[in-house]
């Protein structure tokens, strides 16, 4: 497997005004049109929900594709068939054959991964795909999956406002209108407070099905599993999600030496609130790290209002914040030494580019 710390795609473009993946797909005779797709959008819970759905679909389909992001430990995680990661050999093959399109059409990072996934799934004749959107819906390369069976909407809140808009109305509009005409939406119960906005936002006036809660030990997974369960019911699949563990980095609990550690990729205000509600006791020492574009001031205030000790730290990533510029008393210069010497239970959360680094370090120590 190829670790995410290794750059395997020679591209720095993340966003741009004009996206060109549709032009490339036209040249390739639009292979995505032959791929039945469940589109998953939302702010929080997309990854867990997508994973739960893909597990259940295996009860009915022989080949289930899963496209998810970001990768946690390995690049290969993004593209899966029957929950098995794409091999290193296949991944390098598709990177090589798509490179000419990347250069000529100036594809962005996420467009490249979407293209690789489409070609891989098409070549392997998958029966159905669960396609997790990146940050958007309308403004997302996964919108090009036109053979759409269903749209699944996890918890919506404020995030990526520099792209999606600064109001909840703008964000909801971007998310829900990934749906093509006559394609129903199944929506998380977390979004019931936005019911009127969602109905008003739908350009195609799609049918809406509201999901229920599903009993789970992790509080914030109740809505995600309820959403996945409603999707599986839509496909007439009866599948027990009770024993299905979420992907790594979603309330991952680890026994380390004499302490307990929870790792969670909660990185926006809503995600942090959901994480807090899932912790049975507030007697945890918190370690938080962010990228510079997040509302980390609000997040830090929220954490400090709920926990006695909240530390912050830097990490290796080009968008990582600089804690030297943050007005906060408890700062960690070396996260590895801090973990090794801690006598207190740790709740480590924040950027999905930070939490995997911590996870890898802990696993190596164990």
């Amino acid at each position: 497997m190829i670790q995410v710390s290794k750059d395997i795609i020679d591209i720095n473009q993340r966003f741009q005004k004009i996206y060109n993946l549709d032009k490339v797909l036209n040249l390739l005779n639009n292979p995505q049109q032959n791929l039945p797709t469940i589109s998953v959008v939302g702010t929080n819970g997309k990854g867990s929900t997508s994973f739960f759905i893909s597990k259940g679909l295996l009860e009915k389909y022989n080949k289930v594709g899963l496209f998810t992001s970001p990768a946690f430990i390995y690049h290969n995680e993004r593209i899966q068939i029957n929950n098995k990661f794409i091999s290193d050999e296949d991944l390098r093959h598709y990177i090589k054959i798509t490179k000419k399109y990347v250069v000529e059409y100036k594809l962005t990072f996420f467009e490249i991964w979407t293209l690789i996934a489409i070609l891989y799934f098409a070549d392997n004749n998958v029966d159905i795909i669960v396609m997790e959107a990146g940050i958007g819906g309308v403004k997302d390369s996964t919108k090009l999956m036109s053979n759409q069976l269903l749209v699944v909407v996890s918890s919506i809140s404020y995030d990526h406002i520099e792209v999606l808009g600064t109001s909840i109305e703008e964000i909801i509009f971007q998310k829900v209108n990934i749906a093509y005409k006559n394609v129903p939406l199944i929506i998380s119960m977390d979004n019931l407070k936005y019911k009127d906005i969602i109905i008003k936002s739908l350009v195609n006036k799609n049918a809406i099905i509201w999901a229920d809660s599903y009993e789970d030990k992790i509080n914030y997974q109740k809505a995600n599993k309820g959403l996945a369960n409603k999707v599986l019911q839509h496909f007439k699949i009866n599948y027990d999600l009770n024993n299905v563990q979420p992907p790594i980095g979603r309330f991952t609990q680890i026994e380390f030496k004499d302490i307990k550690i929870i790792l969670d990729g909660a990185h926006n205000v809503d995600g942090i609130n959901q994480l807090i509600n899932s912790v049975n006791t507030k007697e945890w020492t918190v370690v938080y790290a962010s990228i510079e574009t997040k509302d980390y001031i609000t997040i830090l205030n929220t954490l400090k209002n709920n926990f006695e000790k909240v530390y912050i730290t830097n990490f290796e990533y080009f968008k990582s914040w600089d804690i030297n510029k943050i007005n906060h008393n408890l700062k960690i210069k070396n996260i590895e030494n801090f973990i090794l010497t801690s006598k207190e239970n740790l709740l480590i959360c924040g950027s999905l580019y930070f939490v995997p680094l911590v996870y890898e370090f802990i696993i190596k120590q164990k």
Side-chain angles (χ1 to χ4, degrees):
M1 299 287 104
I2 306 172
Q3 292 186 308
V4 294
S5 57
K6 296 182 180 179
D7 293 327
I8 59 173
I9 292 178
D10 186 21
I11 189 73
N12 292 319
Q13 293 172 185
R14 299 277 170 170
F15 307 107
Q16 57 189 31
K17 292 182 178 180
I18 299 175
Y19 294 94
N20 296 313
L21 180 56
D22 59 334
K23 299 180 181 67
V24 176
L25 292 172
N26 282 331
L27 287 174
L28 298 171
N29 296 317
N30 290 302
Q32 80 282 4
Q33 293 179 357
N34 297 317
L35 298 171
T37 300
I38 298 171
S39 297
V40 182
V41 296
T43 307
N44 293 306
K46 296 193 303 292
S48 294
T49 301
S50 298
F51 178 74
F52 297 146
I53 294 170
S54 71
K55 294 287 286 187
L57 289 174
L58 286 169
E59 296 291 302
K60 184 174 182 178
Y61 298 96
N62 291 322
K63 283 189 177 182
V64 177
L66 174 63
F67 177 67
T68 187
S69 66
F72 194 76
I73 301 296
Y74 304 109
H75 286 291
N76 315 61
E77 298 167 32
R78 298 173 185 269
I79 301 170
Q80 304 176 31
I81 294 178
N82 294 353
N83 300 122
K84 294 182 179 179
F85 303 161
I86 185 173
S87 69
D88 292 356
E89 182 182 1
D90 283 338
L91 182 51
R92 289 193 173 99
H93 166 71
Y94 285 99
I95 290 172
K96 183 177 180 179
I97 65 174
T98 57
K99 189 171 183 179
K100 64 179 180 180
Y101 302 114
V102 172
V103 174
E104 184 176 354
Y105 290 91
K106 299 180 180 179
L107 299 183
T108 62
F109 183 84
F110 194 71
E111 283 182 299
I112 297 167
W113 279 105
T114 305
L115 176 59
I116 292 170
I118 289 170
L119 296 179
Y120 180 66
F121 292 146
D123 288 345
N124 282 276
N125 297 308
V126 297
D127 300 309
I128 192 169
I129 297 170
V130 182
M131 202 85 175
E132 180 190 347
I135 65 169
V138 175
K139 295 181 178 180
D140 200 276
S141 58
T142 62
K143 168 73 173 173
L144 297 172
M145 305 302 292
S146 54
N147 190 357
Q148 196 180 66
L149 305 177
L150 193 66
V151 168
V152 181
V153 186
S154 68
S155 176
I156 298 176
S157 61
Y158 290 92
D159 203 3
H160 299 291
I161 59 175
E162 70 281 3
V163 176
L164 300 178
T166 56
S167 70
I168 197 66
E169 288 82 5
E170 289 175 294
I171 293 170
I172 287 173
F173 182 91
Q174 292 295 330
K175 301 288 186 183
V176 300
N177 283 303
I178 196 173
Y180 285 88
K181 191 175 181 179
N182 299 321
V183 175
L185 291 89
I186 297 183
I187 303 179
S188 169
M189 59 176 291
D190 284 339
N191 296 320
L192 272 170
K193 58 183 177 286
Y194 301 131
K195 182 177 180 180
D196 292 342
I197 299 174
I198 290 171
I199 293 172
K200 184 179 179 181
S201 298
L202 283 166
V203 172
N204 292 319
K205 307 303 177 187
N206 309 70
I208 295 176
I209 301 167
W210 290 95
D212 309 306
S213 182
Y214 195 99
E215 191 56 40
D216 194 79
K217 294 178 181 178
I218 304 172
N219 190 61
Y220 72 74
Q221 292 292 7
K222 292 178 179 179
N224 296 333
K225 284 192 174 180
L227 183 55
N229 187 56
K230 185 66 73 172
V231 171
L232 296 174
Q233 289 177 353
H234 182 82
F235 288 93
K236 296 181 171 53
I237 298 171
N238 184 21
Y239 184 72
D240 185 3
L241 290 167
N242 282 306
N243 296 319
V244 180
Q245 297 300 312
I248 297 172
R250 281 77 168 183
F251 211 85
T252 299
Q253 301 177 65
I254 301 174
E255 299 281 343
F256 183 71
K257 296 187 176 181
D258 296 324
I259 67 171
K260 295 179 180 178
I261 299 176
I262 294 176
L263 296 173
D264 196 281
H267 57 275
N268 52 45
V269 176
D270 184 57
I272 290 293
N273 282 320
Q274 290 187 30
L275 174 59
I276 290 169
N277 291 332
S278 296
V279 179
N280 294 326
T281 173
K282 303 302 188 251
E283 295 176 0
W284 290 82
T285 295
V286 176
V287 180
Y288 169 73
S290 176
I291 61 172
E292 57 189 4
T293 56
K294 298 298 179 182
D295 185 9
Y296 50 77
I297 299 300
T298 302
I299 290 173
L300 276 174
N301 288 333
T302 301
L303 289 170
K304 286 189 289 185
N305 288 337
N306 285 275
F307 301 95
E308 290 186 8
K309 293 182 181 178
V310 178
Y311 290 85
I312 62 174
T313 189
N314 288 319
F315 60 103
E316 288 295 326
Y317 184 61
F318 74 100
K319 284 188 176 181
S320 173
W321 65 351
D322 183 356
I323 62 171
N324 294 318
K325 298 178 182 179
I326 309 298
N327 182 20
H328 188 80
N329 293 329
L330 301 178
K331 298 181 179 180
I332 300 170
K333 291 184 178 180
N334 189 312
I335 182 64
E336 296 180 355
N337 286 341
F338 182 85
I339 293 171
L340 289 173
T341 58
S342 178
K343 303 299 182 183
E344 301 170 324
N345 295 333
L346 302 177
L347 174 58
I348 302 174
C349 59
S351 172
L352 281 169
Y353 299 100
F354 162 65
V355 175
L357 298 175
V358 177
Y359 176 80
E360 282 192 285
F361 170 74
I362 292 172
I363 296 303
K364 285 179 182 177
Q365 299 305 308
K366 286 171 70 71

